[in-house]
Amino acid sequence: ENATKIEQKHFFSKSCVSVAKLTQIYNSNFRTSPNFLFVQFGRYLRDEGGDGYTKNEAKVQLSESFSLSPELFVDPNNAPIGSYHLCGVVNHIGDSPRSGHYTACVRQGDSPDWTFFDDAVGVRRSFNFVHETSQSRCYLALYEWKDNQ
């Protein structure tokens, strides 16, 4: 509902995430800032012939926060003032999208602490742990909007 059009262009600022080797980057014009942005990284490439997959293990530099450029809004002069903050990461460990192991890292609210989940076990961790663990395994990143007004 918030997006009026989708076309292939730049979506994030260069300081946000390095995804050039991982996925296509899209541009949307927003009326307002969505409460959450999900970023899915293309970790698997189909082999020639379509029989299997090759895992793309390019490293991703996850940013703790970023702002959308005013040009991404329908009315750039009235773009909301705020930024997106990383609040969740899903990692995939394995050679195939059809099998493997998933882990997740979650931050609640403005706490600097993260919780790393591996099956039913949750352990408190720092952002540095999240960043190092997720560089070549990050499958999905979740960013939450924080209004600065």
Side-chain angles (χ1 to χ4, degrees):
E1 182 180 339
N2 290 334
T4 57
K5 65 179 180 178
I6 297 177
E7 57 191 63
Q8 192 169 355
K9 285 190 181 177
H10 293 287
F11 188 71
F12 297 103
S13 66
K14 290 181 182 176
S15 64
C16 172
V17 194
S18 300
V19 295
K21 294 181 180 179
L22 294 177
T23 187
Q24 293 178 325
I25 301 172
Y26 293 95
N27 176 24
S28 296
N29 288 349
F30 298 101
R31 289 187 195 100
T32 64
S33 293
N35 291 332
F36 293 93
L37 286 179
F38 291 87
V39 180
Q40 181 181 6
F41 299 97
R43 285 290 180 194
Y44 294 96
L45 307 170
R46 266 247 193 240
D47 291 338
E48 287 187 35
D51 295 11
Y53 295 89
T54 301
K55 186 168 185 178
N56 181 347
E57 296 192 55
K59 290 190 175 185
V60 175
Q61 302 297 318
L62 291 174
S63 177
E64 285 190 80
S65 65
F66 68 93
S67 298
L68 292 179
S69 171
E71 290 83 32
L72 292 175
F73 291 89
V74 173
D75 184 357
N77 295 321
N78 290 317
I81 299 171
S83 55
Y84 284 94
H85 297 265
L86 186 66
C87 62
V89 177
V90 176
N91 297 308
H92 180 265
I93 303 159
D95 294 329
S96 168
R98 295 187 178 130
S99 65
H101 182 69
Y102 288 91
T103 62
C105 300
V106 180
R107 180 175 66 183
Q108 287 189 306
D110 295 326
S111 170
D113 295 327
W114 287 76
T115 304
F116 172 73
F117 292 98
D118 189 349
D119 293 326
V121 178
V123 179
R124 288 197 185 265
R125 299 289 188 185
S126 68
F127 176 73
N128 287 340
F129 174 86
V130 173
H131 185 263
E132 291 298 318
T133 302
S134 300
Q135 282 188 354
S136 62
R137 297 176 175 173
C138 184
Y139 179 72
L140 183 70
L142 174 61
Y143 287 88
E144 181 179 19
W145 172 256
K146 303 279 183 170
D147 199 349
N148 288 352
Q149 293 180 349

